[in-house]
Amino acid sequence: MPLHVVCPHCHTTNRVPSERLGEAPDCGRCHRPLFTGKPISLTTADFDRHAGKSDVPLLVDFWAPWCGPCRMMAPAFEQAAGQLEPRFRLAKVNTEDEQMLGRRYGIRSIPTLALFAGGREIARQAGAMGAADIVRWAQSVVR
Ligand code: ZN
């Protein structure tokens, strides 16, 4: 079964056989790795493609530069990306730059983690978490 995976660099939707997901696949268009083990930054322009066109669940960290707990959680979120990819795509949305996305999803406190699958939000968790808790939470939602 091919999975749709959106490239974090050029945002092209790739078809990757599910059994090859763990073999460090490259993007068919820009030839860069589809998974880098690091969270990607999403803007309003890219967000819908990654949330809606990908078969890989998208775990989003809604944050802002002025938020201390957000900055404290950043290394944990990055560490979680290394453990959760390629089963999940981890992304960060700067709610100060992308205010429309924060409003659309009614983000009232940051940091907030939201998990998207098939274009809709399936779980949300507010407040800073450590890497192990992020990994455990994501895996408990999508088995
Ligand atoms: Zn690409």
Side-chain angles (χ1 to χ4, degrees), residues 15-92:
R15 289 164 64 92
V16 180
S18 55
E19 67 272 15
R20 288 206 43 229
L21 201 60
E23 297 171 12
D26 286 334
C27 173
R29 181 187 234 178
C30 73
H31 307 295
R32 296 169 74 186
L34 286 176
F35 293 96
T36 60
K38 289 194 162 47
I40 61 173
S41 286
L42 287 182
T43 65
T44 306
D46 312 325
F47 188 87
D48 286 345
R49 182 171 278 265
H50 283 270
K53 304 277 186 224
S54 177
D55 293 322
V56 178
L58 181 70
L59 177 58
V60 181
D61 172 17
F62 288 93
W63 72 289
W66 48 262
C67 156
C70 297
R71 290 199 307 271
M72 268 176 51
M73 192 176 80
F77 194 68
E78 186 157 330
Q79 205 184 322
Q83 295 179 42
L84 287 170
E85 287 189 358
R87 275 203 63 212
F88 295 82
R89 165 80 68 208
L90 273 66
K92 294 172 76 81

Side-chain angles (χ1 to χ4, degrees), residues 7 9-12 14 27 29-32:
C7 175
H9 312 288
C10 70
H11 308 294
T12 296
N14 286 258
C27 173
R29 181 187 234 178
C30 73
H31 307 295
R32 296 169 74 186

Side-chain angles (χ1 to χ4, degrees), residues 37 102 137:
W137 177 69

